[in-house]
């Protein structure tokens, strides 16, 4: 409800002519044909949406209106003309506008850069493994560690909502692992990773694997300070996932198609999966493997080695 | 993207600034959300209300300013308007455009008492 005049609250219909006080949520924009009756108690506090019009007054409507379902039809996009100098209720002091211009992800990015600086200082290659739950991240890691642990120091950060199952599986290989439990959280963030790093031995040239929470959506937006994201897609998940979940594939340098030993038993179009991934990220590489049968595994190891030596060269140079 | 975590950050930023300014309450928080960012504005507004409870931002209106998307098309060699992150070029239809504007996720200003 309007906090100035109280309109829109229970028993108070919205005022008709609300030009004379701060009542910006009644604007009737000609692009829309929405009923103006969203002042009910369930409506959160008059949130408003506006487009920066500038030169684009005739532009087609922004897409989020077209293909998002609105559970509450009242909560809709109403494009309002931006008025820097709106009128005020008589007798009420105008509120002060304080410019902030602060990036919302700035804090996470700061922690991520701190992690990145630590990695650079010690020549650590950090890889952020992302995928749906059950794609085979931990199994891939276990096999990778078995193949490489005599050649590189290795450390692992595990992320799950609950349990330490994955960290225990890693430790069983003889390598140090820290488990982060996010509780309700659905992704790891750089702050959590920074704390986990404090608990790990990280000699120079360590191979650091960060196994993110199983989730094809949220981890995409959170930089952990890694050198690259590696997205896993198992053959039981369907080849259309890169298009359905583009952000995470676009954020990844490598797509590892896992469980290739099951290809005979599922309908999975590998050509399409690769094409779709390249559509959202032209630079993405693809490796197809099976941790179980070993097929394609050498390519994965070779990819890691390439990135290790690139890192080594960049430090020397 | 994750709107709950983002809403928490918005409330945190707004509150920090409001306190620094000695404000008694926050009337509105103006955020810039690029059309190409991975954010659903309605979800953000919902989460903001939930997270703002019992903070200086409680009851504040979240004003979401959408910034249109623009990207560079390597085939056309020019900047073109796009509506969503992975859209093809509206002129030549090719994919793999590089975003140049519309990826913002920023608290632009707060209105305080």
């Amino acid at each position: 409800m309007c906090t100035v005049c109280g309109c829109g609250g229970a028993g108070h219909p919205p005022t008709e002519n609300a030009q004379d006080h701060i009542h910006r949520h009644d604007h009737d924009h000609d692009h829309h044909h929405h009923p103006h009756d969203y002042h009910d108690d369930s409506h959160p506090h008059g949130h408003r949406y506006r487009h920066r019009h500038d030169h684009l007054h005739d532009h087609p409507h922004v897409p989020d209106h077209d293909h998002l379902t609105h559970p509450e039809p009242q909560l809709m996009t109403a494009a309002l003309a931006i008025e820097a100098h709106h009128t005020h209720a008589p007798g009420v002091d105008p509120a002060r506008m304080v410019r902030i211009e602060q990036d919302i992800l700035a804090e996470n990015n700061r922690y991520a850069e701190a992690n990145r600086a630590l990695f650079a200082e010690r020549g650590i290659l950090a890889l952020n493994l992302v995928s749906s739950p059950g794609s085979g991240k931990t199994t891939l890691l276990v096999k990778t560690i078995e193949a490489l642990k005599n050649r590189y120091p290795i450390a692992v950060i595990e992320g799950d909502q609950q349990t330490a199952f994955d960290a225990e599986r890693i430790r069983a290989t003889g390598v140090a692992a820290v488990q982060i439990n996010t509780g309700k959280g659905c992704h790891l963030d750089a702050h959590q990773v920074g704390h986990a790093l404090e608990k790990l031995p990280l000699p120079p040239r360590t191979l650091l694997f960060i196994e993110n929470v199983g989730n094809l959506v949220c981890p995409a937006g959170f930089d952990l300070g890694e050198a690259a994201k590696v997205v896993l897609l198992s053959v039981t998940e369907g080849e259309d996932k890169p298009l359905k979940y583009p952000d995470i594939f676009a954020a990844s340098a490598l797509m590892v198609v896992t469980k290739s030993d099951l290809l005979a038993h599922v309908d999975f179009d590998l050509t399409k999966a690769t094409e779709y991934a390249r559509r959202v990220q032209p630079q993405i590489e693809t490796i197809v493997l099976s941790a179980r049968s070993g097929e394609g595994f050498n390519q994965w190891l070779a990819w890691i080695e390439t990135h290790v030596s690139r890192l080594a060269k960049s430090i020397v140079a | 993207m994750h709107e709950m975590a983002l809403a928490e950050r918005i409330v945190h930023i707004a509150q920090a600034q409001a306190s620094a300014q000695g404000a008694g309450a926050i009337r509105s928080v103006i955020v810039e959300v690029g059309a190409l960012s991975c954010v659903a504005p309605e979800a953000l507004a919902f989460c903001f209300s939930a997270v703002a409870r019992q903070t200086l931002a409680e009851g504040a209106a979240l004003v979401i300013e959408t910034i249109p998307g623009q990207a560079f098309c390597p085939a056309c060699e020019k900047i073109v308007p796009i509506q969503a992150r992975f859209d093809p070029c509206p002129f030549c239809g090719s994919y793999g455009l590089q975003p140049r504007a519309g990826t913002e996720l920023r608290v632009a200003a707060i209105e305080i008492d």
Side-chain angles (χ1 to χ4, degrees):
Chain A
M1 101 184 159
C2 175
T3 54
V4 174
C5 70
C7 89
H12 296 273
T15 50
E16 278 305 308
N17 207 341
Q19 298 307 315
D20 59 346
H21 74 280
I22 310 165
H23 206 279
R24 287 161 289 195
H25 44 230
D26 68 343
H27 192 100
D28 207 341
H29 195 280
D30 48 72
H31 282 184
H32 307 267
H33 307 282
H34 305 297
H36 168 54
D37 59 345
Y38 52 67
H39 300 285
D40 57 19
D41 288 340
S42 63
H43 179 61
H45 309 288
H47 297 318
R48 307 184 288 285
Y49 307 86
R50 58 194 193 195
H51 310 303
R52 189 176 275 177
H53 280 280
D54 301 334
H55 47 287
L56 294 173
H57 198 79
D58 293 326
H59 68 173
H61 199 356
V62 285
D64 55 53
H65 186 72
D66 293 329
H67 51 253
L68 275 186
T69 55
H70 295 283
E72 300 166 297
Q74 305 91 327
L75 190 66
M76 54 196 70
T77 47
L80 301 168
I82 296 164
E83 296 169 41
H85 48 277
H86 46 71
T87 53
H88 302 283
V92 174
D93 289 330
R96 278 189 292 149
M97 188 73 78
V98 178
R99 298 228 58 95
I100 298 181
E101 309 284 2
Q102 192 172 335
D103 180 15
I104 291 165
L105 287 170
E107 195 186 75
N108 185 75
N109 291 342
R110 264 199 301 279
Y111 286 115
E113 284 310 316
N115 295 341
R116 193 162 273 125
L118 174 69
F119 300 149
E121 191 186 295
R122 303 215 194 146
I124 293 172
L125 179 71
L127 299 175
N128 182 0
L129 268 61
V130 294
S131 78
S132 288
S135 300
K137 295 187 290 298
T138 313
T139 301
L140 181 68
L141 277 184
V142 166
K143 289 280 191 262
T144 305
I145 291 168
E146 285 165 2
L148 295 179
K149 67 182 176 185
N150 294 326
R151 311 218 340 245
Y152 305 99
I154 298 179
V156 178
I157 296 175
E158 284 287 343
D160 286 292
Q161 284 191 285
Q162 300 289 359
T163 83
F165 294 160
D166 287 353
E168 284 158 14
R169 283 176 67 185
I170 301 292
R171 282 186 216 120
T173 67
V175 145
V178 166
Q179 179 81 53
I180 299 174
N181 283 138
T182 60
K184 304 259 191 293
C186 53
H187 61 270
L188 290 178
D189 64 39
H191 187 54
Q192 292 166 330
V193 167
H195 276 306
L197 291 172
E198 290 162 7
K199 302 186 183 144
L200 285 169
L202 295 173
R205 288 178 61 244
T206 294
L207 259 184
L208 176 70
F209 295 101
I210 303 169
E211 184 184 329
N212 217 314
V213 177
N215 182 344
L216 267 189
V217 181
C218 312
F222 293 89
D223 184 11
L224 304 179
E226 73 270 13
K229 284 189 179 63
V230 175
V231 59
L232 272 63
L233 179 70
S234 73
V235 301
T236 57
E237 295 173 57
E239 66 274 342
D240 56 0
K241 298 305 173 291
L243 296 184
K244 287 183 172 178
Y245 299 87
D247 299 310
I248 202 141
F249 287 85
S252 298
L254 171 69
M255 171 172 74
V256 177
V257 177
T258 57
K259 308 190 186 180
S260 64
D261 53 301
L262 297 178
L263 273 170
H265 306 287
V266 295
D267 296 325
F268 183 83
D269 189 330
L270 186 53
T271 309
K272 283 211 180 112
T274 308
E275 181 208 315
Y276 293 157
R278 282 214 195 102
R279 197 186 291 183
V280 302
Q281 177 44 273
Q283 319 276 351
I284 202 168
E285 298 175 64
T286 302
I287 290 173
V288 183
L289 59 73
S290 164
R292 188 184 267 209
S293 71
E295 176 192 27
F297 212 76
N298 286 333
Q299 287 173 47
W300 160 238
L301 297 178
W303 187 91
I304 295 174
E305 311 246 358
T306 303
H307 282 78
V308 168
S309 51
R310 260 188 221 160
L311 185 63
K313 287 202 185 94
S314 68
I315 293 166
V316 168
Chain B
M1 185 75 87
H2 199 66
E3 283 76 4
M4 197 54 135
L6 297 176
E8 283 173 351
R9 293 311 314 153
I10 293 170
V11 168
H12 178 90
I13 291 168
Q15 231 190 182
Q17 286 294 327
S19 300
Q21 299 282 335
I26 300 175
R27 293 235 199 129
S28 61
V29 180
I30 296 109
V31 299
E32 290 168 355
V33 175
L36 310 185
S37 70
C38 326
V39 177
E42 287 85 353
L44 189 62
F46 175 82
C47 292
F48 176 82
S49 298
V51 172
R53 284 192 210 121
Q54 297 180 336
T55 72
L56 265 182
E58 176 159 10
L62 185 70
V63 180
I64 298 174
E65 205 173 275
T66 313
I67 299 176
Q70 292 180 12
F72 179 74
C73 174
C76 297
E77 286 182 338
K78 66 180 186 190
I79 293 183
V80 299
I82 53 173
Q83 311 299 325
R85 178 74 177 79
F86 299 98
D87 279 356
C89 173
F91 299 108
C92 73
S94 48
Y95 288 96
L97 271 52
Q98 300 148 15
R100 289 285 184 270
T103 59
E104 298 82 356
L105 206 52
R106 202 158 46 208
V107 177
I110 55 174
E111 207 180 356
I112 54 178
D113 282 326

